[in-house]
Amino acid sequence: MEKVESYYLYGGWQEVWSHSSETLDCSMKFAIYLPEQAKEKKLPVLYYLSGLTCTEQNVMTKSGIQRYASEQGVIIVMPDTSPRGEQVADSPDYDLGQGAGFYVNATQSPWNKHYQMYHYILNELPHLIENNFPVTGKKSIMGHSMGGHGALVLALKNPEKYVSVSAFSPIVSPSSVAWGEKAFGHYLGENKQDWKKYDAVNLILEGNSVEHILVDQGLADNFYQSQLKTELLENACKQMNVNIDVRYHQNYDHSYYFIASFIEDHVRYHSERLNASLSQ
Amino acid sequence: MEKVESYYLYGGWQEVWSHSSETLDCSMKFAIYLPEQAKEKKLPVLYYLSGLTCTEQNVMTKSGIQRYASEQGVIIVMPDTSPRGEQVADSPDYDLGQGAGFYVNATQSPWNKHYQMYHYILNELPHLIENNFPVTGKKSIMGHSMGGHGALVLALKNPEKYVSVSAFSPIVSPSSVAWGEKAFGHYLGENKQDWKKYDAVNLILEGNSVEHILVDQGLADNFYQSQLKTELLENACKQMNVNIDVRYHQNYDHSYYFIASFIEDHVRYHSERLNASLSQ
């Protein structure tokens, strides 16, 4: 593991690390923000999963999340969105291949050799973080767009591993929209039964649950009607008695300007739950 | 004038406009943040001048300034750093030509045809803003690095036009450092007497003054010792009884992470003075 970038902000350190991933069979980067409190004690971790085309850089440069992590005493881990490298299968499309891992374990060639992002985020990366940084072991997860999908699926399938979950503009049912149909078709094959375990709406309808979900969605988001379909998640939660707060916001779009405007609420949301769980 | 980008954040609008600049004889862009309060009343303006290699995009995506502009009810105007376009003289170097206008009026060929950033920032751009946006006419100015130099020089030469001035990591005496010697040599010629009117330290030693200056400087800034030389400004202010607060910060570098960490203080600093001057 090698530190490749380091910046001081809000009294803490924003670092980028490179490491060799066994799960993904390639070199990967992740960003981590260590607030000042991490010098003196172990802190809980909030994982932030990014959306299509992103690397670890987008959220660390554009969201302002570090200010709130610093105020709340939470470490933020910001992974990349897919395996990377010349030897890793790719496509010329922004929504398939590198930058578009969709947080699944691919089963189809050529994708299955490297595209194991579900395992990477669930197991390998937390293991690495817990062995190398001052963390308590308590963790929560959030994400944006494709990363919102990833966060919801990871939490719904592993409620014992994540204290809390939230999302900005998530793809709530990839099986039902063009982005997901394309990616899942390539990564998981044509049998749509195999897609269901990576579809948050389906997971909820099948009885998976978490204590609470927080979602923010902009009403001027170009992808809201076609790719995100937030109401599918709301309806599934209602039907299955899963607690959810979906906040719709006039004028806000799909960009990091939307995220920056409300990310304080998400960091506080997770911090309250991570700290409550610490004191139990 | 044409609006080319528009985003909603913190309850206001972040816009980018394109216009044909008479002063610079080319098409220019600027960014403007209009907080919610601008829907109902005229607001004062804070100009933010960016550093080498930047466009209007850097500060609008990385600084988080909009949150504080929204809290304080101040409009932020973020100009580009030089004339732009294929017909505009340029160099392959990052510190000369496009992206490196240094906020001077060039007198030397080929630069003098377009590089008139001092006049553009002082006259043309405020005129455009005042004719097209809900502004009071009161304005302040700040900047980063080359833009800190620009802000200091503009305020020191025109104290009646700017209510207040501040800077992050400013080039305080371009005449005395490599960046400035190179740029001023090309733009203004070899006679160093002609450089003095664009050198903040020299302007202060010649008797120019403002009510107060706020400067933040990171001590892990790679350019601090060689190009910025903050102490030259402190010493000149002391000698000439100009009020200045220079705040040095351990660990912080020259990046937008430093700016993001302290920009709230700068927006408040200007807002207090802009609002005090409004109520007089």
Side-chain angles (χ1 to χ4, degrees):
Chain A
M1 218 169 67
E2 185 194 358
K3 198 194 292 181
V4 293
E5 295 179 46
S6 178
Y7 314 96
Y8 199 68
L9 74 164
Y10 298 111
W13 290 100
Q14 176 64 61
E15 301 175 346
V16 178
W17 290 79
S18 171
H19 74 106
S20 174
S21 166
E22 200 176 322
T23 310
L24 304 177
D25 192 16
C26 67
S27 175
M28 288 293 287
K29 285 184 188 169
F30 66 88
I32 184 167
Y33 179 70
L34 299 156
E36 191 171 20
Q37 298 92 320
K39 290 171 194 160
E40 291 178 2
K41 59 176 181 178
K42 293 182 174 185
L43 299 179
V45 178
L46 173 58
Y47 286 78
Y48 177 100
L49 305 185
S50 294
L52 285 167
T53 77
C54 289
T55 68
E56 77 291 343
Q57 294 284 326
N58 303 67
V59 59
M60 71 181 246
T61 56
K62 293 182 174 181
S63 71
I65 195 170
Q66 299 93 343
R67 171 173 169 168
Y68 313 112
S70 159
E71 288 172 1
Q72 299 292 319
V74 175
I75 288 172
I76 313 290
V77 172
M78 299 156 264
D80 201 350
T81 54
S82 76
R84 298 282 180 180
E86 283 183 19
Q87 80 287 11
V88 172
D90 199 5
S91 97
D93 305 344
Y94 77 97
D95 53 1
L96 182 71
Q98 294 187 35
F102 270 86
Y103 306 102
V104 303
N105 294 329
T107 56
Q108 306 297 301
S109 179
W111 310 105
N112 54 349
K113 179 163 165 50
H114 297 286
Y115 286 75
Q116 305 292 324
M117 285 297 288
Y118 180 83
H119 276 156
Y120 175 71
I121 301 293
L122 182 67
N123 301 312
E124 185 179 0
L125 186 58
H127 193 69
L128 197 72
I129 299 298
E130 284 155 24
N131 284 333
N132 290 281
F133 297 95
V135 303
T136 61
K138 291 287 181 189
K139 55 182 185 284
S140 291
I141 193 162
M142 66 173 297
H144 172 231
S145 195
M146 176 181 76
H149 140 73
L152 289 169
V153 166
L154 279 149
L156 285 163
K157 288 167 69 80
N158 308 278
E160 77 290 355
K161 292 208 173 183
Y162 296 100
V163 171
S164 49
V165 59
S166 75
F168 281 96
S169 330
I171 306 172
V172 303
S173 181
S175 307
S176 317
V177 301
W179 274 343
E181 287 172 355
K182 177 174 176 180
F184 283 11
H186 281 84
Y187 298 150
L188 305 174
E190 291 309 317
N191 184 349
K192 294 196 177 184
Q193 286 302 314
D194 297 334
W195 301 8
K196 289 191 170 180
K197 64 180 173 181
Y198 296 117
D199 184 298
V201 165
N202 183 71
L203 287 167
I204 288 168
L205 293 176
E206 284 186 346
N208 296 63
S209 188
V210 292
E211 283 187 21
H212 188 267
I213 299 171
L214 171 65
V215 169
D216 278 310
Q217 178 59 51
L219 291 171
D221 182 329
N222 285 337
F223 304 111
Y224 165 44
Q225 303 284 350
S226 57
Q227 306 277 10
L228 309 178
K229 295 186 182 288
T230 324
E231 288 81 1
L232 294 179
L233 181 68
E234 266 195 297
N235 294 341
C237 286
K238 200 170 181 182
Q239 188 179 329
M240 302 301 287
N241 289 313
V242 175
N243 294 318
I244 186 167
D245 281 332
V246 181
R247 310 189 304 182
Y248 293 97
H249 303 274
Q250 290 282 355
N251 296 324
Y252 286 93
D253 64 18
H254 199 68
S255 73
Y256 268 91
Y257 292 115
F258 173 46
I259 297 172
S261 298
F262 296 100
I263 202 157
E264 177 174 11
D265 295 348
H266 286 247
V267 177
R268 285 179 182 275
Y269 174 86
H270 292 290
S271 173
E272 281 165 15
R273 285 160 177 79
L274 287 162
N275 288 319
S277 91
L278 278 175
S279 58
Q280 273 167 8
Chain B
M1 216 168 71
E2 185 194 359
K3 197 195 294 182
V4 293
E5 294 179 46
S6 179
Y7 314 95
Y8 199 68
L9 73 164
Y10 298 110
W13 290 99
Q14 176 64 62
E15 300 175 346
V16 178
W17 289 79
S18 171
H19 74 106
S20 174
S21 166
E22 200 176 321
T23 310
L24 304 177
D25 193 17
C26 67
S27 175
M28 289 293 286
K29 285 185 187 168
F30 65 88
I32 184 167
Y33 178 71
L34 299 156
E36 193 171 18
Q37 298 92 320
K39 292 172 192 158
E40 290 177 2
K41 60 176 181 177
K42 293 183 174 183
L43 299 178
V45 178
L46 173 57
Y47 286 80
Y48 177 99
L49 305 185
S50 294
L52 284 167
T53 76
C54 289
T55 68
E56 78 290 343
Q57 295 284 325
N58 305 65
V59 59
M60 71 180 246
T61 56
K62 293 182 174 179
S63 71
I65 194 171
Q66 299 94 342
R67 170 172 170 169
Y68 313 111
S70 160
E71 288 173 0
Q72 299 293 319
V74 174
I75 288 172
I76 314 290
V77 172
M78 298 156 264
D80 200 350
T81 53
S82 76
R84 297 282 180 180
E86 284 184 18
Q87 81 286 11
V88 172
D90 200 4
S91 97
D93 305 344
Y94 77 96
D95 54 0
L96 182 69
Q98 295 187 35
F102 270 85
Y103 307 102
V104 302
N105 294 328
T107 56
Q108 306 297 300
S109 181
W111 310 104
N112 54 349
K113 179 163 165 51
H114 298 285
Y115 286 75
Q116 304 292 324
M117 286 297 289
Y118 180 83
H119 276 156
Y120 175 71
I121 301 293
L122 182 67
N123 300 313
E124 185 179 0
L125 186 59
H127 192 69
L128 197 73
I129 298 298
E130 284 155 24
N131 284 333
N132 291 281
F133 296 94
V135 302
T136 61
K138 291 284 181 191
K139 56 182 185 284
S140 291
I141 193 161
M142 67 175 295
H144 171 231
S145 193
M146 175 182 76
H149 140 72
L152 290 168
V153 166
L154 278 150
L156 285 164
K157 288 169 67 81
N158 307 277
E160 76 291 356
K161 293 208 172 183
Y162 297 101
V163 171
S164 49
V165 60
S166 75
F168 281 96
S169 329
I171 306 171
V172 303
S173 181
S175 307
S176 317
V177 300
W179 275 341
E181 287 172 356
K182 177 174 177 179
F184 284 10
H186 281 85
Y187 298 150
L188 305 173
E190 291 309 317
N191 184 348
K192 293 194 178 185
Q193 285 302 314
D194 298 332
W195 301 8
K196 290 192 170 180
K197 64 180 173 182
Y198 297 116
D199 185 297
V201 165
N202 183 71
L203 286 167
I204 287 167
L205 293 176
E206 283 186 348
N208 295 65
S209 188
V210 292
E211 283 186 21
H212 189 266
I213 299 170
L214 172 64
V215 169
D216 277 310
Q217 178 60 51
L219 291 172
D221 182 330
N222 285 336
F223 304 112
Y224 166 43
Q225 303 285 349
S226 57
Q227 305 277 11
L228 308 178
K229 294 186 183 285
T230 324
E231 287 81 2
L232 293 179
L233 181 67
E234 268 194 297
N235 294 341
C237 286
K238 198 170 183 183
Q239 187 178 330
M240 301 301 288
N241 289 314
V242 176
N243 293 318
I244 186 166
D245 280 332
V246 180
R247 310 188 305 181
Y248 293 97
H249 304 273
Q250 291 282 354
N251 295 325
Y252 285 93
D253 64 18
H254 199 66
S255 74
Y256 268 92
Y257 293 115
F258 173 45
I259 297 173
S261 299
F262 295 100
I263 202 159
E264 176 174 11
D265 295 348
H266 286 247
V267 177
R268 285 179 182 275
Y269 174 86
H270 292 291
S271 173
E272 282 165 15
R273 285 160 178 78
L274 286 162
N275 288 319
S277 90
L278 278 174
S279 59
Q280 272 167 11

